[in-house]
Amino acid sequence: MNESLSHGKVILMGEHAVVYGYGAIAIPLFSHSVTTTVEKSKADFLDCSLYKGKMMNAPTQLNNVCEVITEVKKRLKIDETLKITIDSQIPSGRGMGSSAAVVSSIIKAMYHYKQIFLTQEQLLELVHIGETIAHGNPSGLDGVVVNSKTPVLFKRGKGIVPIQSRLHGYLVIRDTCIVASTKQAVADIAELIKKDDKSRDSLDQLGKLSESSIRLIEEGNMKELGLKMIQAQSLLKLLYVSHPLIDQLVDKALAVGALGAKLTGGGRGGCVIALCQDEIVRDAVIERWNDENLWVLDLNVRRVESRAHANIALVKYWGKEDEEQVIPYNSSLSLTLDKLYTDTIIETSDKDEFVLDGVKQGKSESEKIFRFIDRFRQLSQRKNYIRIASVNNFPTAAGLASSASGFAALATAANRYFNLNLSKKKLSEITRFGSGSATRSLFGGFVIWQKDEIPYAYEFDSADWDIAMIVVIINREKKDVSSKEAMRRTVYTSPYYPAWVENAQIDIENIKKAIKKHDFKVLGEITQSNALRMHASMMAAIPPIIYFQPQTLTVLRFVDELNKRGLECYATMDAGPNVKILTRQSQVRVIVDELASLIDQKGIIICNPGEGATILNES
Ligand code: DP6
């Protein structure tokens, strides 16, 4: 991460109205940033696009920069002389926050150079020094937005509030290259509203439009926001701060499908913005605006991190009635576990890439993942490349439900990244194409994957009672036969398969009743017999599938013995040799102590019921 990065800003709504106490909304311009490097040198030296040479000879336009550097040196007691190299992509004098971003970047780089922690308060105070020199009486808005990860609402005298944006699509920004004085425009409006009630009314409407846009940004309601931008532009025109070129650019953008377009900043020149819902409209606007003096701000989420927990089925899903559509033969029921989880990051990239546990995956693994991702791409209008990085906090593909937590975390991240806003039920309908069991990891507690025309998952019970599961790892290696293949072979070749399905259907009805009654004994008995029947059905397949290892049997017999001695514990197993013991939180300690004679403590994970999949963070 670059310690000195700051970015530009653009005002979306509320210019001019902000002078009269209404809120203005500004968005960070991530596409345009400043980075600064600081190194020891023989003299204080500046290197930037405007000037390269000794700081003492720098031109007056850089007074803000020099003043701030001197102040930071004083505060940090930096005695040595420094070379400060500033690389800024933000055009200056366009209302894009260039001076605040440059100064912020320098301050951050100098604190980093001295390895001293910089608080947000200190940063803003120092930026204010630079901004006072550059702009006279700065509002403080720029200093915050150029360092913010979210859009902000600014109100004079009331400060700044971050807005959680769900906007997506693009904002195209075009410079008219007409230099106009904001100060003059503000003064003219002040005169106008003194004389004319209608103008005062326009100004009030402008302010209200800006404030009602906050909710639309939070909801990601692009269409309504676009309409508000169009209305704002009409009002700005009535206040005489538009310009024939601005009007022309606005009309051109709307003609090719932009949702809204307006001037940004002081007006009478400066920049124009157009809100575009997708890449097609974005490119059309760029073309109509002659692809010159313009910038594109990607409003889409660029990085999402999600977490989903593994789940262990108590009534298993084993076999597909329709392989292509992933329709199971029977409904299944599971318990989500708190200690086993997958964290997945999706981020915008220049190529599709899948990294699992730090290892870049080959063609076949990646293709499987991106076939799944294509479903999300199809539903959204976002077709860009992504990098997926997943980390399991437990062994992958060893019958510990890594594909369940993996695909649930991926679907959750993709739902957000591609801005689909699907409910968890709807998301479960897509998740099944990654892995059937993954549908259940979207939810917490006891979860059912319901067989239906379109199967879906839902939380059946929060499992907020005395339930625990002890995972006993017998082998951490990847299994030889995948569950997909094992399932298929069982369905097609095992004479016991029909009996498995018939019993599983009875099990699911009975286990539901047991859960509702908190009848742990029946819950455990169904769990254990269901797992053993599943393994019996696959052992009878041709060729047989045997996931059991000698230690598996030892643990199974041990659990049985503990049960006979009065402890409440029942075993279950999935497509692998590891055993999971369903028990009571209140009995976990005794059972784990007993297990110590058989299993290395490192191979034991004590789990409680876990939560459903969540977004950990996004930017
Ligand atoms: C034994 O969900 O991994 O864990 O849908 O083919 O990806 P696919 O299968 P998968 O199978 C899980 C099988 C199981 C039982 C269960 O979790 O219900």
Side-chain angles (χ1 to χ4, degrees):
M1 191 178 130
N2 193 316
E3 304 285 346
S4 71
L5 197 78
S6 293
H7 41 253
K9 71 114 214 294
V10 63
I11 294 182
L12 185 69
M13 292 286 266
E15 51 277 273
H16 289 295
V18 72
V19 179
Y20 298 88
Y22 289 104
I25 300 165
I27 313 192
L29 194 59
F30 292 118
S31 50
H32 290 72
S33 55
V34 189
T35 45
T36 300
T37 51
V38 175
E39 59 201 314
K40 227 176 173 172
S41 161
K42 283 195 191 113
D44 276 333
F45 203 83
L46 270 184
D47 184 353
C48 63
S49 59
L50 258 182
Y51 171 75
K52 189 172 177 170
K54 284 197 179 150
M55 203 166 97
M56 55 197 266
N57 301 327
T60 50
Q61 292 115 289
L62 292 177
N63 278 358
N64 58 335
V65 166
C66 298
E67 192 68 35
V68 167
I69 294 173
T70 310
E71 179 63 23
V72 177
K73 280 186 88 171
K74 200 166 89 195
R75 289 194 189 182
L76 300 185
K77 300 193 174 62
I78 302 177
D79 298 328
E80 66 265 37
T81 43
L82 302 173
K83 178 181 176 194
I84 298 191
T85 309
I86 306 155
D87 179 11
S88 173
Q89 304 154 357
I90 310 171
S92 62
R94 311 288 210 292
M96 286 186 176
S98 146
S99 59
V102 165
V103 162
S104 291
S105 166
I106 295 172
I107 298 164
K108 290 197 256 187
M110 289 177 78
Y111 271 73
H112 183 62
Y113 171 79
K114 282 301 275 182
Q115 300 279 307
I116 291 175
F117 182 73
L118 171 69
T119 66
Q120 180 77 356
E121 241 181 359
Q122 288 166 330
L123 174 66
L124 295 182
E125 193 207 328
L126 285 162
V127 172
H128 189 76
I129 297 175
E131 288 290 90
T132 307
I133 297 167
H135 297 303
N137 183 17
S139 64
L141 170 69
D142 284 11
V144 175
V145 194
V146 301
N147 293 298
S148 171
K149 289 211 176 341
T150 65
V152 298
L153 171 74
F154 173 74
K155 256 191 188 178
R156 243 189 166 178
K158 298 232 166 79
I160 280 144
V161 185
I163 304 174
Q164 286 314 319
S165 166
R166 291 188 85 89
L167 291 179
H168 47 284
Y170 301 87
L171 197 68
V172 186
I173 305 155
R174 165 73 143 78
D175 190 356
T176 60
C177 299
I178 299 168
V179 182
S181 158
T182 301
K183 214 166 165 186
Q184 190 60 50
V186 170
D188 290 351
I189 289 183
E191 276 305 304
L192 194 66
I193 62 167
K194 253 196 252 161
K195 289 193 236 136
D196 174 18
D197 280 354
K198 265 198 187 147
S199 301
R200 175 73 228 193
D201 195 42
S202 299
L203 192 87
D204 288 335
Q205 284 184 49
L206 198 60
K208 286 183 187 132
L209 275 179
S210 173
E211 296 193 346
S212 58
S213 297
I214 301 167
R215 185 178 51 81
L216 303 176
I217 295 172
E218 285 169 345
E219 288 170 359
N221 189 339
M222 298 278 288
K223 275 203 183 120
E224 284 287 319
L225 181 64
L227 288 176
K228 294 221 185 276
M229 287 171 70
I230 297 171
Q231 289 166 23
Q233 173 61 23
S234 309
L235 294 166
L236 288 161
K237 206 169 156 181
L238 288 177
L239 294 167
Y240 303 103
V241 289
S242 191
H243 180 281
L245 180 57
I246 296 179
D247 297 341
Q248 233 183 64
L249 290 167
V250 165
D251 289 346
K252 281 183 181 176
L254 296 179
V256 292
L259 296 171
K262 63 184 274 295
L263 63 86
T264 172
R268 293 186 175 162
C271 291
V272 182
I273 52 176
L275 187 69
C276 309
Q277 69 270 43
D278 57 40
E279 292 158 25
I280 300 166
V281 176
R282 174 199 66 189
D283 293 345
V285 170
I286 292 174
E287 203 190 317
R288 284 307 294 272
W289 283 359
N290 295 335
D291 200 3
E292 56 191 29
N293 304 312
L294 54 79
W295 306 278
V296 176
L297 174 61
D298 188 346
L299 297 170
N300 297 297
V301 172
R302 289 158 303 128
R303 186 182 187 280
V304 189
E305 184 171 5
S306 64
R307 171 171 295 176
H309 293 88
N311 73 78
I312 298 299
L314 310 186
V315 172
K316 311 287 182 189
Y317 143 55
W318 194 249
K320 299 178 187 74
E321 202 172 81
D322 182 334
E323 277 205 42
E324 210 175 298
Q325 288 306 309
V326 194
I327 312 287
Y329 265 105
N330 60 282
S331 299
S332 49
L333 181 143
S334 60
L335 179 66
T336 303
L337 303 184
D338 64 344
K339 293 283 163 23
L340 309 179
Y341 55 81
T342 305
D343 285 347
T344 293
I345 295 171
I346 294 186
E347 56 192 334
T348 308
S349 175
D350 52 4
K351 59 176 182 301
D352 278 346
E353 192 175 51
F354 173 46
V355 178
L356 179 59
D357 291 329
V359 181
K360 195 176 158 221
Q361 300 294 295
K363 203 162 173 260
S364 84
E365 268 308 304
S366 302
E367 272 175 8
K368 187 170 137 201
I369 295 295
F370 283 101
R371 259 201 310 278
F372 181 64
I373 287 296
D374 281 344
R375 292 180 184 272
F376 293 86
R377 282 187 171 136
Q378 256 155 33
L379 287 173
S380 76
Q381 285 301 318
R382 259 187 114 174
K383 305 264 185 285
N384 61 280
Y385 294 122
I386 55 171
R387 179 178 192 272
I388 301 168
S390 279
V391 177
N392 291 325
N393 78 333
F394 59 96
T396 301
L400 289 179
S402 60
S403 77
S405 54
F407 276 105
L410 185 58
T412 302
N415 188 26
R416 180 70 199 102
Y417 181 86
F418 292 99
N419 206 62
L420 295 173
N421 277 327
L422 299 172
S423 67
K424 280 202 175 178
K425 177 176 182 261
K426 275 268 161 234
L427 192 58
S428 75
E429 294 176 8
I430 304 181
T431 306
R432 78 180 197 277
F433 291 103
S435 210
S437 54
T439 59
R440 298 184 312 238
S441 275
L442 295 173
F443 298 89
F446 288 114
V447 185
I448 290 184
W449 185 30
Q450 181 67 40
K451 181 189 172 175
D452 208 329
E453 220 172 298
I454 301 177
Y456 60 92
Y458 66 95
E459 181 190 303
F460 177 70
D461 181 283
S462 64
D464 194 12
W465 39 295
D466 192 0
I467 296 281
M469 192 169 264
I470 305 169
V471 176
V472 182
I473 303 178
I474 285 164
N475 193 329
R476 289 171 194 272
E477 317 235 303
K478 201 173 160 172
K479 59 201 174 207
D480 317 330
V481 188
S482 73
S483 47
K484 221 171 227 126
E485 167 53 24
M487 239 178 235
R488 185 180 295 142
R489 208 186 289 169
T490 314
V491 172
Y492 290 120
T493 67
S494 173
Y496 299 162
Y497 189 70
W500 149 259
V501 176
E502 199 180 308
N503 276 288
Q505 270 153 357
I506 299 168
D507 284 348
I508 198 99
E509 291 316 317
N510 290 338
I511 207 166
K512 275 158 74 175
K513 285 183 207 141
I515 290 172
K516 282 295 166 218
K517 282 199 270 179
H518 291 199
D519 185 338
F520 188 81
K521 188 165 183 288
V522 175
L523 173 68
E525 282 169 0
I526 296 175
T527 298
Q528 188 158 300
S529 63
N530 183 275
L532 293 174
R533 283 191 200 128
M534 176 183 77
H535 280 273
S537 76
M538 63 176 104
M539 281 180 197
I542 304 169
I545 302 136
I546 305 173
Y547 285 120
F548 280 60
Q549 288 182 5
Q551 250 203 321
T552 311
L553 271 179
T554 313
V555 176
L556 288 183
R557 297 186 83 138
F558 193 69
V559 170
D560 210 30
E561 200 185 301
L562 293 181
N563 191 292
K564 286 195 183 112
R565 276 168 39 201
L567 287 164
E568 292 174 281
C569 53
Y570 300 88
T572 182
M573 290 172 60
D574 293 289
N578 303 315
V579 180
K580 293 104 194 179
I581 305 171
L582 180 70
T583 184
R584 300 283 206 176
Q585 286 167 22
S586 46
Q587 293 184 18
V588 161
R589 267 282 47 104
V590 189
I591 295 173
V592 169
D593 286 348
E594 293 277 355
L595 273 171
S597 61
L598 290 181
I599 296 282
D600 178 4
Q601 290 293 307
K602 282 194 215 120
I604 293 176
I605 308 169
I606 302 166
C607 301
N608 285 331
E611 292 172 355
T614 48
I615 297 290
L616 295 179
N617 57 60
E618 62 182 60
S619 53

